Amino acid sequence: MNISAIIKLTVSMALFGSIGFFTVHTGVPATELVFVRCICATLFLGVLWLITGGHKTEKWEKKEIIQTIICGVFLVLNWVFLFKAFEEMSISIAISIYNLAPIFVLILGAIFLKEKMTIRALVATITCFIGSIFIMGLQNFVSFSEFMQSGFVWALLSAVFYALTMLTSKTITNLSSYALTYIQTTVGIVMLLPFIDFSLFEGLTTTNWFYILGTGFIHTGFVYYLFFDSIRSLSTILVSVLVFVDPVVAILLDMLLLDFMPNFMQTLGILFIFGGIFYTIYTPKKKRLPQEVS
C-alpha cells in the first residue's frame, strides 16, 4: 500500500472540501471567480510541467487534443455552475447534489456508451434521486419560481457537467495529467474572457483577494498536483472511497464556520445520496471456496 499516495490524495480532497467556504468570501460572482481560477491554475501547473520536463516527452495527437478541449469546456461549465449553486444555497446541500456525478456517469454511460445498467446502479440512482428530493424539500417542487431560485438547478448542472468531464477524459490516455489540465484551464480563460466584468474586481479587500487567489493556486493548482500525483499509484476502489473526504470536510466546515444546520429531512437526504453513491462504488470481496484436496 502506497502510504505517501494515500496521504496526498486525502490532503487534496480535504483542501478541495474547503472550496465552498473560500468561494463565499471572495466577493466576486461565479464566472469571474472561475476565470481567475483558470489563470492561477494555468500558471501553477504550467510552471510545474516545465520544471519536471514533462513538456519534452508529451505525445501529441490531434484527436486527443480535440477531446481535451471539449473536456475543458465541460470542466469550466462544471465549475461555473457549482459556484453559482454556492451563491444560492448552503455549501452542504450544493456539495451533496454535486456528488451525484458518479450516478450521472452511470446514466450517461448507459445512454451514450451503451454500457449495461445493472440492478445495483438502478437502485443507487433511485436512492440518490429520493435523497435529492428530501434535501430540497417537497415545497420547493410545488412552485416553479421557488425551484429555479433555490440553486438546485445550478448544483444539478454542475454534477451533470462533472460527469461529462469524467466520461470525456476516460478516453484520453497519451497526454500527461499536467498537459491535460493545462489545456483545460487555458480553454477556460479563452472561453470566459468575453463574459468577464473587470469592474467587479475594483474595491475588493485584501481578504477578498486572499480567498480568490486561494481558490486558484490552492484549490486548483496545488490540489490538482496532489490529486494527479497520487491516483496513479492507488486502486480505483481506494480512490473512490477517499474522494468522500471532500464532501465530509465541506459539510463540517459549513456547519462549524457558517452555522448551517440541516433539518431532519435534509440530513436524511444527504445520507440517502452518499449511501447510494457508496453502494455504487463498493464491491464486496468474493468469498474464497475451500480448495479441494487432491
Side-chain angles (χ1 to χ4, degrees):
M1 185 178 292
N2 193 325
I3 302 299
S4 175
I6 291 174
I7 292 173
K8 285 181 180 179
L9 183 57
T10 303
V11 170
S12 70
M13 289 297 97
L15 286 172
F16 194 77
S18 66
I19 192 170
F21 176 75
F22 270 63
T23 300
V24 297
H25 289 88
T26 58
V28 292
T31 305
E32 281 71 21
L33 182 57
V34 173
F35 179 69
V36 175
R37 185 182 184 185
C38 286
I39 292 174
C40 294
T42 302
L43 291 173
F44 184 92
L45 293 169
V47 169
L48 207 59
W49 188 34
L50 292 172
I51 291 175
T52 57
H55 64 291
K56 298 177 182 178
T57 58
E58 289 293 340
K59 296 179 180 179
W60 302 100
E61 292 184 7
K62 184 178 179 180
K63 180 182 177 182
E64 284 205 344
I65 293 174
I66 294 173
Q67 286 179 302
T68 303
I69 291 172
I70 294 171
C71 188
V73 172
F74 291 153
L75 181 66
V76 171
L77 289 174
N78 147 51
W79 286 344
V80 171
F81 291 139
L82 178 61
F83 292 162
K84 287 187 75 67
F86 287 151
E87 294 173 359
E88 303 292 339
M89 63 190 349
S90 76
I91 294 168
S92 295
I93 302 303
I95 285 292
S96 298
I97 298 170
Y98 178 67
N99 277 277
L100 286 171
I103 302 299
F104 285 120
V105 169
L106 291 174
I107 296 172
L108 293 172
I111 295 172
F112 297 108
L113 303 180
K114 307 302 180 183
E115 295 178 351
K116 186 178 179 181
M117 176 69 83
T118 63
I119 296 297
R120 174 186 287 268
L122 189 60
V123 169
T125 302
I126 294 171
T127 302
C128 289
F129 176 73
I130 293 172
S132 65
I133 293 177
F134 284 170
I135 280 178
M136 289 308 302
L138 292 174
Q139 70 279 3
N140 287 324
F141 288 88
V142 175
S143 169
F144 181 76
S145 60
E146 289 182 6
F147 174 73
M148 292 301 294
Q149 294 172 6
S150 66
F152 180 84
V153 173
W154 298 128
L156 201 63
L157 283 172
S158 71
V160 170
F161 278 99
Y162 184 37
L164 287 170
T165 301
M166 288 192 283
L167 284 173
T168 309
S169 62
K170 279 178 68 175
T171 55
I172 302 172
T173 55
N174 291 319
L175 284 177
S176 71
S177 300
Y178 293 123
L180 180 70
T181 312
Y182 181 82
I183 294 173
Q184 289 173 335
T185 51
T186 302
V187 166
I189 296 173
V190 176
M191 178 179 161
L192 296 176
L193 183 60
F195 305 99
I196 301 302
D197 182 356
F198 289 97
S199 66
L200 295 173
F201 293 102
E202 298 174 4
L204 293 175
T205 65
T206 304
T207 302
N208 289 142
W209 278 110
F210 168 79
Y211 285 111
I212 290 171
L213 296 178
T215 62
F217 287 109
I218 298 175
H219 294 110
T220 311
F222 186 56
V223 164
Y224 268 57
Y225 164 70
L226 291 178
F227 182 79
F228 288 131
D229 196 46
S230 60
I231 58 173
R232 293 180 178 182
S233 305
L234 300 173
S235 67
T236 303
I237 294 175
L238 190 55
V239 170
S240 299
V241 173
L242 289 177
V243 164
F244 274 87
V245 173
D246 163 21
V248 169
V249 170
I251 292 171
L252 286 175
L253 287 177
D254 197 15
M255 294 173 67
L256 295 174
L257 301 179
L258 300 177
D259 298 322
F260 169 74
M261 189 56 63
N263 58 36
F264 174 75
M265 293 302 291
Q266 288 175 326
T267 303
L268 196 61
I270 291 172
L271 292 176
F272 265 54
I273 286 178
F274 291 118
I277 295 168
F278 186 76
Y279 181 67
T280 304
I281 64 175
Y282 174 70
T283 305
K285 293 182 179 179
K286 294 181 180 179
K287 293 182 179 180
R288 291 184 179 178
L289 296 174
Q291 295 180 348
E292 294 182 1
V293 179
S294 56

